[in-house]
Amino acid sequence: MKRLTAGLLTGLTLCLWLGAGMAAQSRELKFSTPTPEPHIMTKSAHHLADAFAQAGTGDTIAVFPVNKLGDVPTVLSLLQSGAVELAVVPVGDLANRDPSFLAWFLPYQFDTLAEAGAAADSEPARDMLARLDSQGIKGLGYVFPGQRHLLSKQPITSAGEISGLKVRAFPNDIFNSWWRELGAAPTALPLPEIMPSLVTGVIDAVDVDIDIVSGLQMQKQAPYLILTNHMAFPAAILASARWWNSLSPEEQSGFEEMVAETQDWAIMTQTEGEAALLDRLAADGAQIGTIDDPALQAAGETVRNAFLDRDPLIRRFYEANQN
């Protein structure tokens, strides 16, 4: 992915926005994220807010992490009404609104975060975002916390040991199908309830990206991090269509450039920082391992086949991103 450099981008957007005749009265735009400050979703929001500030429009972006403006369904409603201008929303939540987004979660279609990041620029990935237009939401780009793994209270060395576990999983069909295929019991819980649920035994394990493990220090209660790498887990950068449509074409173009640069920055930051993050988790007590078990790939193939034709865009996305 080749973008304008940050310096050139700032200069370009500055000219675009100042030349667009923005209203004299400045505004503070609200930007919601579901994650804590150290997580890449929230860091990406701050990165975009900083680029916006450098454009010199007079407006500012205020970032509200950890769902301070409401849970994700509430934030999506606020986007539609125009009460919130911007949000980062996990694609798993968007899949509950449009099944095409399930394409991102087909097990084992990406070996690395870099591969998943490259898929963000594919035509089917952009078409998924375009489908949100009819819902009063403008999809602008993606950010990637990383691949999904399994964090457990007990060591796991084979796929068979996953059977019977109560796993906190993202609440949509494909996550549920994946864990059930492995014999586990998927359990939906909001982020604030994960840690106490590990303590009380409501859940035995968590389907996670390593960024959220670090951000919430989950390894304190579940020290075994198994790098299953079973799914990608992007989030989308969204705008309120009401706010977006109030911008001139030049302003929209300038903001799209800022989002594109943020998307590339976030992918690069996560790709380059994964090894260091794993080292920090290990130093803080996490026991990190892998599972070499063909049963995982077999389960992945079963789930992929079950979802490939759930929506035509799912198969298009999968075929477009096979190497």
Side-chain angles (χ1 to χ4, degrees):
M1 292 173 287
K2 296 181 180 179
R3 311 283 189 199
L4 297 174
T5 65
L8 179 58
L9 174 67
T10 300
L12 173 62
T13 53
L14 176 64
C15 294
L16 286 171
W17 283 77
L18 290 181
M22 299 266 312
Q25 185 174 0
S26 63
R27 298 170 295 173
E28 182 180 82
L29 309 178
K30 294 179 285 296
F31 198 156
S32 174
T33 80
T35 52
E37 289 289 355
H39 196 276
I40 192 63
M41 291 187 198
T42 301
K43 289 194 290 188
S44 297
H46 284 295
H47 185 89
L48 181 55
D50 289 344
F52 186 77
Q54 292 174 23
T57 70
D59 291 350
T60 58
I61 292 175
V63 176
F64 295 86
V66 290
N67 287 330
K68 287 183 178 177
L69 299 180
D71 61 13
V72 169
T74 299
V75 167
L76 289 171
S77 295
L78 292 172
L79 282 173
Q80 290 173 307
S81 71
V84 167
E85 288 82 10
L86 296 158
V88 175
V89 170
V91 166
D93 286 295
L94 299 178
N96 294 328
R97 286 175 162 246
D98 190 299
S100 66
F101 285 101
L102 292 170
W104 282 105
F105 308 118
L106 297 174
Y108 297 117
Q109 68 175 320
F110 302 115
D111 291 331
T112 65
L113 174 59
E115 287 181 9
D121 284 329
S122 67
E123 183 178 346
R126 308 304 300 182
D127 288 346
M128 292 176 205
L129 294 177
R131 284 191 177 186
L132 298 173
D133 290 352
S134 64
Q135 301 183 35
I137 297 170
K138 176 67 178 178
L140 295 171
Y142 295 94
V143 296
F144 292 81
Q147 301 284 85
R148 301 299 282 190
H149 306 290
L150 180 63
L151 187 74
S152 175
K153 293 166 65 176
Q154 302 295 328
I156 295 173
T157 59
S158 70
E161 293 173 0
I162 295 173
S163 182
L165 291 182
K166 294 170 289 186
V167 180
R168 188 274 181 177
F170 203 89
N172 72 29
D173 288 351
I174 198 163
F175 278 85
N176 291 338
S177 294
W178 163 252
W179 289 113
R180 287 173 183 151
E181 187 65 25
L182 292 170
T187 303
L189 289 171
L191 280 178
E193 294 183 23
I194 292 176
M195 294 296 279
S197 295
L198 285 168
V199 173
T200 59
V202 171
I203 54 174
D204 306 304
V206 190
D207 181 319
V208 291
D209 61 79
I210 59 174
D211 216 9
I212 200 67
V213 175
S214 176
L216 296 181
Q217 290 290 283
M218 290 182 181
Q219 77 279 5
K220 301 296 186 184
Q221 297 299 333
Y224 296 95
L225 177 59
I226 300 94
L227 302 179
T228 51
N229 206 42
H230 53 274
M231 292 178 187
F233 193 72
I237 299 174
L238 307 176
S240 165
R242 288 181 179 237
W243 172 72
W244 185 256
N245 293 334
S246 74
L247 305 179
S248 70
E250 293 81 9
E251 291 166 350
Q252 291 176 352
S253 178
F255 199 80
E256 286 173 332
E257 290 290 350
M258 285 185 255
V259 171
E261 190 275 333
T262 296
Q263 176 178 294
D264 287 355
W265 172 85
I267 293 168
M268 180 187 67
T269 297
Q270 288 301 90
T271 301
E272 293 180 353
E274 273 193 328
L277 183 53
L278 286 171
D279 287 343
R280 289 198 297 273
L281 286 171
D284 202 28
Q287 304 295 307
I288 301 171
T290 60
I291 299 177
D292 183 13
D293 190 330
L296 291 175
Q297 293 291 338
E301 183 176 3
T302 298
V303 174
R304 282 199 308 273
N305 290 338
F307 282 85
L308 265 174
D309 294 311
R310 182 71 65 93
D311 184 282
L313 197 47
I314 295 176
R315 184 174 287 277
R316 277 184 53 211
F317 178 83
Y318 181 71
E319 292 177 350
N321 292 295
Q322 293 305 292
N323 295 326

